[in-house]
Amino acid sequence: MKRILVPTDFSEQALYAFEVAVAIARKTGAAIKLLHVVEMPYAPSFSATGDLVSRDSIEQVYVLKLLESSRDEMQELLRTVEHNGVEVVQEVDVDRVNSKIRRVVREDQVDLVVMGSKGSSGMDEFLIGSNTEKVVRTADCPVLTVKRRQPNFDIKNIVLASDFKREIRTAIDKVKMFQDIFDATLHLVYINTPGAFESSNNIRNTMETAAQRYGLKNYTINVYNDVIEEDGIMHFAQDIDADMIMMPTHGRTGFSHLLSGSIAEDLVNHTSRPVLTFHLR
């Protein structure tokens, strides 16, 4: 791992993400880029009397002030988190957040995005979502989401939830890389639900065959029964006191995403544990 991207909005959760990124960088020797994106409103500007005024001059001043303030906050963030020995560069830009992150991931050949997440629920989750969700859905590299401060960040128990069929092979190298970084135990889990019930014996055989095929080491095989997959993953992680959940995602967008949803994105929203997502493509 050579490059870690930490998008920040200067929230507490973004601070926690930077702390985690520094901990990972210390183990891997990776460099970190801190990125803040100023998003501009696109509505017309009106004077106090309701007349349309020149947007150029007003918006230029507005943007310059935002950029100046953002750079000051970036310096404060750097002073807040001890990062001696870790290379950290910073960038402040005016753009759409998700578009800018995707472009930086591609152009800088980023290996990992670490983002803070506040989570959401109910109608807010359906109508608005979050930038973190969008990055999870579209980023070309693994995304680690962090909600709470992780003091002395050290991963010893990782939950890997999947059906362990052909699709997981496209991400197995990333799974093994993160396990190796922390010398962690990998807990493979299949969530058996009433709507897609299978024999536990058949599932275990499938999981063991996959583990052998992919050369996994230091792992456990687990079949966990629950009503829905998302709850099963969270309950299993709680039962073993997992430090991280790994979850593949298909990265669907648009109407197909609304129809199918995403267990990975639901986990990012609803669990307090760090979640590492990676695309199956």
Side-chain angles (χ1 to χ4, degrees), residues 42-269:
Y42 290 90
S45 299
F46 291 89
S47 69
T49 60
D51 298 321
L52 186 65
V53 298
S54 171
R55 294 186 55 176
D56 290 345
S57 59
I58 292 177
E59 289 187 356
Q60 285 175 8
V61 172
Y62 177 65
V63 169
L64 288 173
K65 290 292 185 182
L66 281 178
L67 291 173
E68 182 180 353
S69 173
S70 298
R71 292 189 181 102
D72 289 343
E73 289 190 88
M74 190 74 84
Q75 292 305 312
E76 180 61 28
L77 177 59
L78 287 169
R79 287 190 291 268
T80 301
V81 177
E82 198 283 310
H83 58 279
N84 288 341
V86 175
E87 180 185 348
V88 180
V89 298
Q90 52 191 294
E91 181 179 353
V92 177
D93 197 4
V94 180
D95 205 333
R96 296 293 187 112
V97 173
N98 192 45
S99 298
K100 177 65 178 182
I101 292 173
R102 290 181 64 188
R103 190 160 60 252
V104 170
V105 167
R106 183 177 63 253
E107 294 176 354
D108 290 5
Q109 296 182 314
V110 170
D111 301 298
L112 174 68
V113 175
V114 184
M115 291 189 74
S117 173
K118 296 181 179 68
S120 57
S121 60
M123 190 58 68
D124 284 344
E125 178 181 347
F126 180 74
L127 292 177
I128 302 171
S130 68
N131 283 319
T132 304
E133 278 185 61
K134 293 174 185 175
V135 174
V136 165
R137 196 181 310 145
T138 60
D140 293 328
C141 68
V143 179
L144 176 61
T145 55
V146 179
K147 280 187 182 175
R148 296 182 178 179
R149 172 162 270 141
Q150 305 290 322
N152 304 314
F153 184 72
D154 192 19
I155 302 299
K156 294 302 180 187
N157 292 287
I158 300 173
V159 170
L160 174 60
S162 173
D163 63 4
F164 300 96
K165 296 178 182 176
R166 288 180 300 172
E167 63 178 18
I168 195 67
R169 74 177 185 272
T170 60
I172 203 65
D173 288 342
K174 298 181 181 69
V175 171
K176 293 163 76 171
M177 178 183 67
F178 278 91
Q179 182 185 18
D180 290 345
I181 288 172
F182 295 98
D183 192 25
T185 299
L186 195 61
H187 300 275
L188 312 181
V189 62
Y190 178 97
I191 307 303
N192 215 2
T193 63
F197 184 82
E198 290 192 44
S199 159
S200 294
N201 187 57
N202 289 343
I203 295 171
R204 288 181 182 276
N205 287 339
T206 298
M207 294 171 72
E208 187 63 52
T209 298
Q212 294 297 321
R213 180 188 306 126
Y214 302 135
L216 297 183
K217 298 178 180 178
N218 191 18
Y219 64 89
T220 68
I221 298 287
N222 305 273
V223 179
Y224 195 90
N225 298 322
D226 215 315
V227 177
I228 60 175
E229 289 176 274
E230 177 199 335
D231 286 350
I233 295 168
M234 290 192 291
H235 293 156
F236 175 73
Q238 181 176 351
D239 287 352
I240 69 166
D241 195 22
D243 302 301
M244 176 190 289
I245 299 172
M246 283 187 182
M247 186 73 202
T249 175
H250 290 280
R252 295 187 180 96
T253 59
F255 191 60
S256 64
H257 171 259
L258 292 177
L259 290 176
S260 65
S262 167
I263 297 172
E265 290 169 40
D266 288 343
L267 280 172
V268 167
N269 268 326

Side-chain angles (χ1 to χ4, degrees), residues 23-36:
I24 296 174
R26 292 196 190 283
K27 285 183 172 291
T28 62
I32 295 174
K33 171 175 275 192
L34 280 173
L35 173 68
H36 177 72

